[in-house]
Amino acid sequence: MSGIDKRNRLSEEPFTYQITKKGTVAIYYEGKQIKVVKEKEAERLLAKIHEAEQQTIEVQLLLAKMTGNFKRGNEKMGQHKREF
């Protein structure tokens, strides 16, 4: 696992999740919802989280893998270009 989290970001616990009444799992990154996992995929994710619930970095890694590669460093910071 040393090669996966080289910058030690997962120890800061940026990912959280919430289970809804319908059984879906909402995944959040730094408080912002980024993905909703439904049905069988949600069941598999919850089973894996339950197995690794004592290891916070392992749970963070599961959530990160479930979200995919959504952060690449080229996200806009909310600044608009001025048109002259």
Side-chain angles (χ1 to χ4, degrees):
M1 182 147 127
S2 62
I4 294 175
D5 189 23
K6 292 179 183 176
R7 293 183 285 171
N8 206 20
R9 300 278 176 124
L10 295 179
S11 64
E12 298 170 4
E13 298 185 36
F15 292 98
T16 55
Y17 68 97
Q18 181 179 16
I19 305 168
T20 64
K21 290 180 182 178
K22 294 181 179 180
T24 62
V25 179
I27 301 175
Y28 298 87
Y29 178 78
E30 294 182 353
K32 296 177 186 173
Q33 182 178 343
I34 54 172
K35 183 163 181 143
V36 175
V37 183
K38 300 178 183 179
E39 301 170 359
K40 296 282 184 187
E41 196 174 16
E43 291 175 16
R44 279 185 254 137
L45 175 63
L46 290 174
K48 289 179 183 179
I49 288 174
H50 184 69
E51 288 176 14
E53 77 183 310
Q54 299 299 322
Q55 303 167 359
T56 57
I57 292 178
E58 193 68 32
V59 172
Q60 290 292 304
L61 183 60
L62 286 169
L63 294 172
K65 285 183 176 182
M66 187 57 66
T67 60
N69 193 4
F70 81 98
K71 287 192 74 76
R72 294 184 172 270
N74 61 353
E75 291 82 17
K76 303 290 183 207
M77 299 302 291
Q79 299 171 353
H80 299 285
K81 289 185 177 180
R82 292 185 184 178
E83 294 184 24
F84 293 99

